[in-house]
């Protein structure tokens, strides 16, 4: 964002071509559909739409012709994104507008914008992330106990390539063993169509041992954060991206959720110049 975008419209002709105008446009928009991988958009918002006239009415002789252009991109636009129900797309489109009985010619070229998310701008990002839940645990029909599941991470935000260190504590105050403990790094993308549509997928999954009866188990695991779309997508009101860590037991049924932010500048690091 805020950078100049320069390019050239190149026209190669085997014969002269009369034209009414040669134009180039630069656009950015978000489009959302109500069905997966559908191009019938039900919601749309535009970020910019600029056009330049490169040549007025005339005729181009046979041969190659080059028309340079430049656009200044706005300073605040969301990062490019493509998902199942929508996308944020930027493109340059060139058009040769011809007289009647001639076919118009056009082509387009996509480009990508990165609007970096500095994790240090998110409140309390450097604070430890902790969540806990207590579940009643019935066994042998008449006996009951409880299980306390606690999960934590050292940070609330990460960049791709960083190691997420997860800790889980299982306090089994019952006479029955728990199931193994599992953790998933999840990505939830919400799309604003006629109603909000949510698409959740697991990015990484790990599993560890549960806790024996009347025992307490402490589990530590590391997850290498892959390259992921950033959380939040500032400037876009139709697509929201959230990430979170879900730690769970199947027996008893217990789940804790830790919100995680994925960004481009690591916590406590200065952004690149």
């Amino acid at each position: 964002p805020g950078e100049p975008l320069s390019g050239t419209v190149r026209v190669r002709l085997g014969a002269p071509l009369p034209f009414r105008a040669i134009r180039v446009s630069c656009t950015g928009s978000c489009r959302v559909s109500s069905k997966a991988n559908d191009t019938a958009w039900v919601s749309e918002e535009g970020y910019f739409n600029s056009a330049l006239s490169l040549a007025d009415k005339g005729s181009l002789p046979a041969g190659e012709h080059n028309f340079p252009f430049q656009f200044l991109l706005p300073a605040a636009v969301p990062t490019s994104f493509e998902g199942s129900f929508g996308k944020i797309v930027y493109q340059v489109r060139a058009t040769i507008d011809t007289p009647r009985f001639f076919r118009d010619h056009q082509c387009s070229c996509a480009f990508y914008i990165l609007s970096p998310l500095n994790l240090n701008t998110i409140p309390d990002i450097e604070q430890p992330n902790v969540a806990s839940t207590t579940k009643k645990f019935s066994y042998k029909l008449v006996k009951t106990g409880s299980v306390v599941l606690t999960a934590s991470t050292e940070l609330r935000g990460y960049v791709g390539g960083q190691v997420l260190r997860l800790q889980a504590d299982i306090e089994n105050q019952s006479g029955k063993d728990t199931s193994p403990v599992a953790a998933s790094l999840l990505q939830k993308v919400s799309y604003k169509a006629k109603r909000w549509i949510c698409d959740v997928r697991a990015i990484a999954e790990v599993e560890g041992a549960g806790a024996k009866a009347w025992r307490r188990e402490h589990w530590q695991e590391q997850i290498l954060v892959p390259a992921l779309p950033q959380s939040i997508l500032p400037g876009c009101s139709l697509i929201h991206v959230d990430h979170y860590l879900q730690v769970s037991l199947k027996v008893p049924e217990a789940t804790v959720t830790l919100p995680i932010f994925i960004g481009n500048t690591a916590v406590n690091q200065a952004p690149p110049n």
Side-chain angles (χ1 to χ4, degrees):
E3 288 187 331
L5 182 147
S6 301
T8 304
V9 175
R10 181 174 293 118
V11 184
R12 292 194 185 95
L13 296 172
L17 177 70
F19 67 91
R20 290 191 295 192
I22 299 175
R23 298 186 303 272
V24 63
S25 63
C26 184
T27 60
S29 64
C30 176
R31 301 166 188 164
V32 171
S33 65
S34 55
K35 295 178 183 177
N37 306 312
D38 192 2
T39 55
W41 313 114
V42 296
S43 301
E44 190 168 355
E45 69 180 7
Y47 305 119
F48 57 86
N49 186 349
S50 302
L52 294 172
S53 177
L54 302 179
D56 293 326
K57 187 176 180 181
S59 179
L60 288 176
E64 184 174 299
H65 309 272
N66 293 305
F67 301 92
F69 62 85
Q70 186 177 78
F71 293 98
L72 182 63
L73 299 174
V77 287
T79 292
S80 299
F81 179 84
E82 189 151 344
S84 300
F85 293 87
K87 57 186 177 180
I88 298 170
V89 62
Y90 300 97
Q91 68 175 2
V92 175
R93 181 181 296 275
T95 304
I96 302 177
D97 188 7
T98 57
R100 285 182 66 189
F101 309 120
F102 284 84
R103 184 170 64 89
D104 286 351
H105 301 273
Q106 61 178 228
C107 68
S108 61
C109 179
F111 63 94
Y112 299 90
I113 284 183
L114 172 64
S115 185
L117 176 62
N118 183 346
L119 291 172
N120 298 287
T121 62
I122 298 173
D124 301 322
I125 193 71
E126 76 286 348
Q127 297 299 315
N129 216 358
V130 183
S132 184
T133 187
T134 302
K135 288 292 179 180
K136 289 287 183 188
F137 200 5
S138 299
Y139 60 100
K140 291 184 179 177
L141 300 178
V142 293
K143 295 186 176 181
T144 59
S146 63
V147 171
V148 181
L149 175 63
T150 304
S152 66
T153 59
E154 56 191 353
L155 296 172
R156 294 172 187 261
Y158 298 86
V159 300
Q162 248 185 319
V163 174
L164 183 157
R165 292 178 174 84
L166 164 68
Q167 298 190 54
D169 195 76
I170 308 165
E171 189 176 346
N172 190 355
Q173 302 163 353
S174 80
K176 185 178 178 182
D177 298 352
T178 75
S179 67
V181 61
S184 300
L185 176 60
L186 302 173
Q187 175 182 286
K188 176 185 174 185
V189 185
S190 304
Y191 302 87
K192 190 177 183 180
K194 293 176 181 175
R195 56 182 176 81
W196 281 99
I197 299 169
C198 294
D199 184 23
V200 180
R201 68 185 184 100
I203 305 300
E205 296 177 295
V206 289
E207 190 174 283
K212 301 288 187 185
W214 310 111
R215 298 290 296 274
R216 183 172 185 166
E217 286 293 335
H218 188 68
W219 178 54
Q220 292 182 311
E221 186 60 81
Q222 295 185 351
I223 297 174
L224 182 64
V225 178
L228 290 171
Q230 66 192 46
S231 303
I232 305 174
L233 287 179
C236 178
S237 66
L238 298 182
I239 300 177
H240 294 168
V241 181
D242 298 292
H243 297 92
Y244 51 96
L245 197 64
Q246 190 168 280
V247 181
S248 58
L249 295 168
K250 284 187 178 177
V251 181
E253 202 170 289
T255 300
V256 292
T257 302
L258 301 171
I260 298 288
F261 292 93
I262 304 295
N264 309 98
T265 300
V267 176
N268 295 327
Q269 285 188 6
N273 292 328

